[in-house]
Amino acid sequence: MSGAKWGDRIPHVVHQDDGTERWVIEGQVRVRNSFAPTGALSADRRTEPQTWSQVPEAAWNPPARLRAMDSDHIDYSVLYPTVAGVSGEVIGAIKDLDLQIECARVYNDWVMDVWAAASPRFIPQAILPVGSIEAAAAEAKRAVGRGHKGAIMPAQPSQINSAAPHLYTQAWDPLWETLQELGVPICFHSGSAPSVLFDISPTYNAATAAAFDSVRQPAGSAALINGMVLSGILYRFPTLQAVFPGSAIDYVPFALEALDHQWERQLLAKNDGLTERPSEIFHRQCYVTTWKEKVGLRNRRYIGADRILWESEFPKSTSTYPESAHLIENNFHDVPKEEKEQILWRNAARLYKLSL
């Protein structure tokens, strides 16, 4: 980014009085509890790096990341941001639209030039400048043209940027139409919509609060799945694919059963024109992720084995790293080979159009 044009408004690292370092954007510290969420690479997963020098190399260096993937028996990695927000919400909160667009563009180009260029095992996805629907659609088109395989955005953009309308209004239809035409999924990582998350009790200590946060985030995705269906978005755009990473699958059967029940009781086909069962829409257009659940996999037929993606959550503290192979063997013990392959890699290869 141009220092002459943007000056210290460019996202940059600032040394704090307490000895920590933090990312600062538009004069504000954006992430207060850590420098980068890389707990999976820490000896003590309750701790996070507080300075750049403490960030493990596998978190930011593609060759080091590939070595970590090899050691964990991981073939491909679908890339999500960390410091920029798991759904790009830190960038999306930038008030100056021109600066927000430029930051998203630079991030997306960096992912292609540094990560995707390093290895085809990295699957790039673009973050979107949600302060403008027109800009979001334009950046999606530009980024996919450069090779991005998906688009990422916060689940409730209006909560982080007052210029953005609520996600479920038809104002966003130009973006959904663009993504549908491009044939790439839209991804809403869990934890990016505070309004659907339970509050963390102020009585919790830091370790307990972190544990509770890791539990409440997947639960919040159940509400997002409901919203994408009941809003009519997936009805109006029947080939648009929505991905809910970090969602976990334990909550999905409940969400689908509740959706179908209310669809029947509220006569939504008659009253709102939602002529297909919500569960049918989900089974056609939504993907959820699993990494730790054993019980959830036993309920996979209610979700659909073709709608589940396996993830390691690397490098977050909740990750299966460095024991992914062991946990897969344990969790998938009773899953037939065909369904196991679907969940572990075939679904992702189909979604991201990979030739494997």
Side-chain angles (χ1 to χ4, degrees), residues 128-259:
L128 301 179
V130 295
S132 162
I133 297 169
E134 180 182 22
E139 180 56 22
K141 188 175 296 185
R142 188 195 74 86
V144 171
R146 283 217 59 193
H148 282 270
K149 301 289 188 179
I152 305 168
M153 67 181 290
Q156 294 294 346
S158 58
Q159 292 181 0
I160 64 169
N161 194 311
S162 59
H166 195 281
L167 185 73
Y168 301 147
T169 69
Q170 294 189 23
W172 287 98
D173 281 5
L175 175 61
W176 312 140
E177 183 175 5
T178 297
L179 294 172
Q180 182 171 256
E181 291 175 353
L182 292 171
V184 299
I186 182 65
C187 308
F188 304 99
H189 200 289
S190 65
S192 66
S195 68
V196 301
L197 299 179
F198 294 109
D199 290 337
I200 297 177
S201 171
T203 65
Y204 289 162
N205 60 32
T208 305
F212 182 79
D213 188 42
S214 295
V215 173
R216 69 175 184 154
Q217 290 190 26
S221 288
L224 304 181
I225 293 170
N226 294 353
M228 286 297 289
V229 174
L230 293 178
S231 66
I233 293 171
L234 300 180
Y235 287 85
R236 296 196 301 276
F237 301 92
T239 63
L240 177 66
Q241 300 293 298
V243 183
F244 302 91
S247 54
I249 58 176
D250 295 310
Y251 311 97
V252 179
F254 161 77
L256 295 182
E257 193 169 46
L259 274 173

Side-chain angles (χ1 to χ4, degrees), residues 5 17 19 26 34 46 65 79 106 120 127 134 138 142 148 169 174 191 193 240-241 261 275 300 304 316 329 336:
K5 180 177 182 179
D17 292 340
E26 291 186 313
S34 74
R46 296 173 299 175
R65 174 70 65 87
L79 301 177
V106 169
I127 61 175
E134 180 182 22
R142 188 195 74 86
H148 282 270
T169 69
L240 177 66
Q241 300 293 298
H261 179 78
T275 55
R300 65 190 178 278
K316 295 175 65 178
E329 181 180 0

Side-chain angles (χ1 to χ4, degrees), residues 25-337:
I25 304 176
E26 291 186 313
Q28 295 183 346
V29 174
R30 293 291 176 163
V31 182
R32 296 187 177 277
N33 60 348
S34 74
F35 186 78
T38 60
L41 293 164
S42 301
D44 182 350
R45 291 191 181 226
R46 296 173 299 175
T47 64
E48 300 281 7
Q50 301 298 317
T51 65
W52 172 252
S53 63
Q54 296 174 354
V55 179
E57 189 178 7
W60 55 267
N61 180 272
R65 174 70 65 87
L66 290 170
R67 291 192 294 271
M69 290 165 58
D70 288 341
S71 70
D72 203 28
H73 306 283
I74 302 296
D75 294 318
Y76 286 81
S77 177
V78 180
L79 301 177
Y80 283 84
T82 52
V83 174
V86 289
S87 282
E89 63 271 16
V90 173
I91 299 301
I94 295 175
K95 295 181 175 62
D96 185 313
L97 180 60
D98 290 337
L99 178 61
Q100 183 187 154
I101 293 171
E102 181 76 354
C103 287
R105 182 189 66 80
V106 169
Y107 170 87
N108 294 335
D109 285 347
W110 169 75
V111 169
M112 290 302 304
D113 296 341
V114 175
W115 288 84
S119 172
R121 295 170 63 186
F122 295 124
I123 311 304
Q125 298 192 110
I127 61 175
L128 301 179
V130 295
S132 162
I133 297 169
E134 180 182 22
E139 180 56 22
K141 188 175 296 185
R142 188 195 74 86
V144 171
R146 283 217 59 193
H148 282 270
K149 301 289 188 179
I152 305 168
M153 67 181 290
Q156 294 294 346
S158 58
Q159 292 181 0
I160 64 169
N161 194 311
S162 59
H166 195 281
L167 185 73
Y168 301 147
T169 69
Q170 294 189 23
W172 287 98
D173 281 5
L175 175 61
W176 312 140
E177 183 175 5
T178 297
L179 294 172
Q180 182 171 256
E181 291 175 353
L182 292 171
V184 299
I186 182 65
C187 308
F188 304 99
H189 200 289
S190 65
S192 66
S195 68
V196 301
L197 299 179
F198 294 109
D199 290 337
I200 297 177
S201 171
T203 65
Y204 289 162
N205 60 32
T208 305
F212 182 79
D213 188 42
S214 295
V215 173
R216 69 175 184 154
Q217 290 190 26
S221 288
L224 304 181
I225 293 170
N226 294 353
M228 286 297 289
V229 174
L230 293 178
S231 66
I233 293 171
L234 300 180
Y235 287 85
R236 296 196 301 276
F237 301 92
T239 63
L240 177 66
Q241 300 293 298
V243 183
F244 302 91
S247 54
I249 58 176
D250 295 310
Y251 311 97
V252 179
F254 161 77
L256 295 182
E257 193 169 46
L259 274 173
D260 280 355
H261 179 78
Q262 290 308 123
W263 178 81
E264 292 174 350
R265 294 297 178 269
Q266 302 295 334
L267 303 176
L268 296 185
K270 175 183 177 180
N271 295 330
D272 292 310
L274 303 181
T275 55
E276 295 176 88
R277 276 184 171 275
S279 59
E280 293 174 356
I281 298 298
F282 174 90
H283 290 136
R284 185 179 69 203
Q285 293 176 252
C286 296
Y287 288 88
V288 289
T289 59
T290 183
W291 68 100
K292 63 185 185 302
E293 301 102 324
K294 190 171 185 177
V295 173
L297 285 170
R298 294 173 183 169
N299 293 323
R300 65 190 178 278
R301 69 185 181 91
Y302 299 104
I303 305 165
D306 63 333
R307 290 288 131 185
I308 304 173
L309 307 171
W310 185 86
E311 64 176 347
S312 74
E313 279 280 276
F314 185 90
K316 295 175 65 178
S317 63
T318 52
S319 175
T320 55
Y321 176 88
E323 300 175 315
S324 295
H326 169 72
L327 288 172
I328 288 172
E329 181 180 0
N330 180 64
N331 293 355
F332 284 79
H333 177 72
D334 297 324
V335 178
K337 179 181 178 181

